[in-house]
Amino acid sequence: MHDYCVRPAGPDDLDGARAVMLDTVHRDFGTGYVPRWHGDIADPATAYLVPARHTLLVAVDGEGHVVGTGALDARGPLHPPNPRHVAERYPSGTTAQLRRVYVRPGHRRRGLARRLVAELLAFAAADGGYRAVYLHTDPSVEGAEAFWRSLGHVVHDERQEAEQESEGGQGIVHFDIPLNALTLPLAGR
């Protein structure tokens, strides 16, 4: 049984966080590192630690290893590659976009992703300037779609488009997550 700590990442956590992220894009997505999609992974400090309205969380096991990540930034989805109506619904500045909610396979099914998301939603709510929480997921990743459906609702499913190329579709599912989808007690954070 592992004991986990979920907390904001510090400079000493960045190598471990980057490793979790890179392993995930290689193993789960099968794409490997693609600079135009994963630039934040190369420099998570600039993407998440420096901007005041952004954050990067890590889940650390009892041995001090980073085994999960979750990030939030104030950038809404861009068109392209996302459908225009999704980008317009979630403008930058007032949209908290959840990103990089990844947990290493050996640590999944222990509530870590839910804890990471709860902390990210608490961060967004405390900011006071976010009006919506958005994310997109690749439904081919085992368990991802069901997890996000348990927290929010689908605003666009690219798999249902007759001609994905007309909107730049990638076969991903776009979600709206209520700011109060999860609450995490202050004790034990």
Side-chain angles (χ1 to χ4, degrees), residues 60-74:
V60 180
D61 69 9
E63 298 174 5
H65 300 112
V66 175
V67 298
T69 61
L72 178 149
D73 66 35

Side-chain angles (χ1 to χ4, degrees), residues 53-65:
R53 298 184 70 214
H54 297 192
T55 192
L56 173 64
L57 303 178
V58 290
V60 180
D61 69 9
E63 298 174 5
H65 300 112

Side-chain angles (χ1 to χ4, degrees), residues 8-167:
D12 292 342
D13 299 314
L14 295 180
D15 288 341
R18 189 179 302 106
V20 169
M21 294 178 201
L22 287 172
D23 288 350
T24 301
V25 298
H26 284 281
R27 180 191 58 249
D28 292 344
F29 300 150
T31 61
Y33 176 79
V34 179
R36 72 177 185 268
W37 298 336
H38 308 125
D40 59 307
I41 295 173
D43 188 4
T46 299
Y48 302 114
L49 301 189
V50 175
R53 298 184 70 214
H54 297 192
T55 192
L56 173 64
L57 303 178
V58 290
V60 180
D61 69 9
E63 298 174 5
H65 300 112
V66 175
V67 298
T69 61
L72 178 149
D73 66 35
R75 294 174 290 146
L78 299 177
H79 170 76
N82 299 293
R84 181 180 308 281
H85 70 93
V86 172
E88 289 171 353
R89 180 176 178 164
Y90 298 102
S92 292
T94 61
T95 299
Q97 185 167 178
L98 302 183
R99 299 178 181 267
R100 313 294 176 220
V101 179
Y102 302 150
V103 177
R104 288 200 178 276
H107 299 272
R108 292 179 182 165
R109 315 272 325 148
R110 298 176 188 194
L112 286 176
R114 204 165 284 277
R115 285 178 61 191
L116 287 160
V117 171
E119 291 285 349
L120 292 171
L121 293 176
F123 180 90
D127 176 85
Y130 292 118
R131 301 292 170 248
V133 179
Y134 162 86
L135 72 97
H136 64 261
T137 194
D138 181 342
S140 68
V141 175
E142 184 180 344
E145 183 178 0
F147 174 75
W148 292 114
R149 282 182 183 271
S150 76
L151 298 176
H153 68 276
V154 174
V155 293
H156 186 77
D157 186 338
E158 292 182 14
R159 299 170 298 180
Q160 296 175 354
E161 294 176 355
E163 305 240 357
Q164 290 183 6
E165 287 69 31
S166 68
E167 281 285 321

Side-chain angles (χ1 to χ4, degrees), residues 162-184:
E163 305 240 357
Q164 290 183 6
E165 287 69 31
S166 68
E167 281 285 321
Q170 306 169 77
I172 62 175
V173 182
H174 304 264
F175 286 88
D176 186 276
I177 307 295
L179 272 171
N180 63 353
L182 292 168
T183 55
L184 188 65

